[in-house]
Amino acid sequence: MPRLRVVAGPSIDALVPITVNSGVPHTIVSDAFEGQILAHIKGFTDNEGNVLQSEYFNREDRKGVTWSIQVQGRFLRPISADDVLFGNTFDRPLKLPWGSGAALKFMHFVDPSLEHDLASSTKPWALSPLISTMPYLAHTRLPAVSRTLSSETRQPATLAHEHHQSSSKHAIDREGWPLFPSPQSLSDDTTQLHLTLNSPSHSHSPSPTPTPTPSPLLSRQPSSGAATPDSDSFVAEPCNAGTTGALLEPPLPDKHYKNLKKNRLSPATLASLLSASHEDKRERKERKRAEKLSKHEQTLQELHTADRRRAYFRDASHRRELIFGPEDVFTTDFCYGFIQFTPTLSLQLPGGISFDLMHYWDGQPVRFMCCERKRGVECEGEGKEEGGAESVSVPVADSDVPWGRVLWCVAIELVPDEEQEQPSALAPSLSVSDGQYGRS
């Protein structure tokens, strides 16, 4: 009889068993992300077949929820909100049941920003922007004293070693971080999210104003000690058409020469005017972008509910306006009730539609993964906001995997046969057998 367990880590290749329903988070540290992960599964059993209770499922605001993956952490490198994805990935093609189209329609109803290729013949996936797919999300801007990266002085080899160690050995400077886990259920809090807006003053420094090159006719230097246009002694000499073969204007009276001398623009003056024109154009662009960011800021401060947040960030241009960095701590709760773990592992959809997942599951791990968007060649202009400085990259079509770097991962997987005979005391596992829990 198969047993299930929950594993977590900073990448697919560094997953270790974690406790479930214990309220004790598992720590993850890499050079791209640091944080903690907590898992709750209704009906989860220990190695002896005893159901592990969790008060989480007794909360009034979590009625009907059957599983929860909670994460609190920060991205250690600046990253666009549009490039942080969350969802499921698989290593092998899925055996989709008849009627799975209804399940996909339900998924799009729950999350309209979802993109997927679950029918892939290589590596199926279903991913959404994290900021628009999470049922509950809270953002906290750290004070300056707490922004030091706890892993910045660690070498990659040290980090790789720590990934396989007990979570109690990890050290994260959590000064200024919200309590995790909290005694109360997580609710949306985006009151400080406007601080992540990619304003021109934070995203990039304005380029220096180029000095226009004066016209050669105005900047020419005399071959001898003759006067130049900038000198007061300069007076244009009339040309004698008879001495040249070219068609030239007739000489002008002395009065016109004096007016030309009085009203002419020196090279310095012309350069100044051109520079001022360039400055005005740039200032207009920056002012227009500042007005747009001001509107975004006002809207962000009015996203008081999860529904408003998710609806607002379905627009990719809104997501691209936000840049997350080490000063931004996110707490999320990915929780739903459409997967039942008792009396059998099944998918329950509205309208009475149900799928016995054990019948179609081939035993490969079910991963819940936060990753970067796969980026390829940058395309200037596409999706570019006026006054902005960002470009959009087209995802690489020819790639081993359709997703980018993994930031953290939680997976539900089968306990290997050799471990089922000698169950580990570290992490409880779930025993499933023909519609009822049993003792393995």
Side-chain angles (χ1 to χ4, degrees):
M1 291 179 292
R3 276 210 337 252
L4 306 178
R5 68 181 180 185
V6 179
V7 294
S11 68
I12 296 175
D13 300 325
L15 302 177
V16 297
I18 67 172
T19 59
V20 179
N21 295 350
S22 66
V24 179
H26 175 79
T27 300
I28 288 179
V29 176
S30 72
D31 61 349
F33 176 85
E34 63 177 13
Q36 295 182 305
I37 292 178
L38 193 66
H40 291 283
I41 296 179
K42 193 172 185 178
F44 207 80
T45 62
D46 62 15
N47 298 326
E48 301 299 325
N50 302 312
V51 176
L52 298 174
Q53 302 294 338
S54 172
E55 60 82 25
Y56 175 89
F57 299 107
N58 297 327
R59 300 174 185 176
E60 188 63 31
D61 54 1
R62 292 298 188 266
K63 293 292 185 181
V65 171
T66 58
W67 54 281
S68 164
I69 297 175
Q70 301 175 41
V71 178
Q72 183 181 90
R74 60 179 178 173
F75 307 102
L76 302 183
R77 300 171 181 172
I79 185 171
S80 167
D82 188 48
D83 289 338
V84 181
L85 305 179
F86 176 80
N88 300 105
T89 62
F90 303 89
D91 290 327
R92 301 188 298 274
L94 298 175
K95 182 182 177 182
L96 297 177
W98 178 86
S100 58
L104 295 178
K105 289 183 179 179
F106 173 72
M107 292 168 61
H108 276 289
F109 173 78
V110 174
D111 181 9
S113 61
L114 173 71
E115 297 181 15
H116 70 86
D117 186 7
L118 293 176
S120 171
S121 60
T122 54
K123 295 180 181 292
W125 57 274
L127 296 168
S128 303
L130 180 139
I131 197 170
S132 62
T133 193
M134 279 293 168
Y136 302 98
L137 179 145
H139 165 260
T140 302
R141 174 58 66 99
L142 295 178
V145 70
S146 302
R147 298 182 187 179
T148 303
L149 308 186
S150 61
S151 59
E152 65 182 357
T153 58
R154 304 179 188 179
Q155 299 300 320
T158 304
L159 287 170
H161 173 72
E162 288 184 348
H163 290 160
H164 297 82
Q165 303 303 311
S166 170
S167 61
S168 61
K169 295 185 179 181
H170 291 295
I172 295 181
D173 181 7
R174 292 173 48 83
E175 182 180 356
W177 291 37
L179 180 65
F180 185 81
S182 172
Q184 293 80 33
S185 300
L186 181 68
S187 58
D188 253 55
D189 184 358
T190 55
T191 54
Q192 294 183 310
L193 199 57
H194 67 278
L195 298 175
T196 67
L197 279 169
N198 186 22
S199 61
S201 59
H202 294 136
S203 60
H204 52 276
S205 300
S207 56
T209 303
T211 301
T213 303
S215 167
L217 293 177
L218 296 177
S219 61
R220 65 176 181 240
Q221 298 296 327
S223 56
S224 60
T228 67
D230 285 333
S231 64
D232 293 336
S233 60
F234 172 79
V235 177
E237 297 181 359
C239 299
N240 188 346
T243 60
T244 64
L247 180 62
L248 299 176
E249 293 291 334
L252 297 175
D254 292 342
K255 179 180 179 181
H256 290 280
Y257 287 119
K258 294 179 180 179
N259 289 336
L260 285 175
K261 178 181 177 182
K262 180 179 180 181
N263 298 324
R264 76 174 184 270
L265 297 177
S266 69
T269 302
L270 180 59
S272 177
L273 290 175
L274 293 175
S275 177
S277 176
H278 179 80
E279 287 285 346
D280 290 343
K281 185 176 180 181
R282 190 180 68 182
E283 288 177 1
R284 285 195 299 270
K285 285 186 176 181
E286 290 183 353
R287 183 167 58 252
K288 187 173 182 180
R289 177 163 172 78
E291 291 173 353
K292 183 177 181 180
L293 289 176
S294 178
K295 292 180 180 179
H296 279 304
E297 179 176 348
Q298 182 178 355
T299 303
L300 289 175
Q301 292 177 327
E302 296 174 353
L303 300 178
H304 303 306
T305 66
D307 289 340
R308 289 186 179 181
R309 166 181 54 83
R310 299 177 72 179
Y312 181 75
F313 287 112
R314 288 171 192 167
D315 189 329
S317 65
H318 294 166
R319 298 193 298 268
R320 295 189 191 110
E321 290 291 348
L322 306 187
I323 300 296
F324 303 151
E327 63 272 20
D328 301 299
V329 172
F330 289 91
T331 308
T332 60
D333 187 359
F334 190 74
C335 57
Y336 284 104
F338 54 79
I339 296 182
Q340 302 290 330
F341 293 86
T342 182
T344 186
L345 189 62
S346 62
L347 176 65
Q348 304 288 336
L349 301 179
I353 302 176
S354 177
F355 297 98
D356 183 355
L357 297 181
M358 292 304 296
H359 180 71
Y360 297 98
W361 187 30
D362 64 356
Q364 65 173 310
V366 179
R367 293 193 295 255
F368 297 88
M369 190 172 73
C370 179
C371 63
E372 297 179 358
R373 186 185 295 275
K374 188 75 173 182
R375 290 297 187 184
V377 180
E378 290 192 350
C379 298
E380 295 290 342
E382 181 181 352
K384 186 175 180 180
E385 302 293 337
E386 184 175 356
E390 58 184 85
S391 58
V392 179
S393 298
V394 178
V396 177
D398 184 15
S399 175
D400 293 337
V401 292
W403 54 85
R405 174 173 180 170
V406 177
L407 300 171
W408 55 262
C409 179
V410 179
I412 300 175
E413 64 179 19
L414 288 171
V415 178
D417 293 337
E418 60 272 16
E419 294 186 25
Q420 291 195 42
E421 298 178 0
Q422 296 180 346
S424 170
L426 173 63
S429 57
L430 181 67
S431 179
V432 182
S433 61
D434 298 328
Q436 64 180 0
Y437 289 106
R439 190 171 178 178
S440 304

